Amino acid sequence: MASNADFVQYIADQCSGAGEIVAKKMFGDYGIYCDGKIFGLICDDHFYLKPTDAVREMLRTIDMRPPYPGAKPYFYIADVDDHGYLTALVKETCKHLPKPKPRKKK
């Protein structure tokens, strides 16, 4: 089951205080980016955040789940209605992720 476009936009809006948020369709669902860094996935209308030690301390509840079969576990974020909370989680996650690799020109 793919994610609903309205849900994807809602998550992007909820995270918008962290930077430039873009959701890109991939593998039938979505990758979600902040300022060019992929920080999470939206799969089957669920939001998953890349795990980092710093964010683990900020989570209200720690729920690790694979976003799709065969994937490594991500933080499953059930509380998607708190804009300030999601913004803080995304900002902290992105601080600890590597910069995106430059794309090679063809």
Side-chain angles (χ1 to χ4, degrees):
M1 178 176 93
S3 293
N4 179 304
D6 290 335
F7 181 78
V8 174
Q9 186 60 52
Y10 180 72
I11 296 298
D13 292 344
Q14 288 295 89
C15 299
S16 65
E20 181 185 351
I21 304 296
V22 176
K24 296 181 182 179
K25 198 160 184 79
M26 56 191 298
F27 311 118
D29 274 300
Y30 294 85
I32 189 160
Y33 298 75
C34 179
D35 298 329
K37 290 182 180 181
I38 186 166
F39 66 87
L41 300 171
I42 301 170
C43 300
D44 297 330
D45 289 335
H46 293 93
F47 177 49
Y48 299 89
L49 193 63
K50 281 191 171 187
T52 63
D53 290 336
V55 170
R56 181 181 297 276
E57 302 299 319
M58 297 172 63
L59 292 172
R60 293 175 180 159
T61 58
I62 297 172
D63 186 355
M64 300 287 292
R65 300 182 188 182
Y68 53 89
K72 292 180 181 179
Y74 276 54
F75 292 132
Y76 170 67
I77 308 298
D79 185 7
V80 296
D81 296 323
D82 186 337
H83 173 75
Y85 178 60
L86 286 188
T87 295
L89 292 177
V90 171
K91 280 183 180 179
E92 193 63 27
T93 298
C94 288
K95 277 188 207 176
H96 300 279
L97 295 176
K99 290 184 181 183
K101 295 178 183 175
R103 299 181 90 179
K104 294 181 181 180
K105 293 184 181 180
K106 293 182 181 180

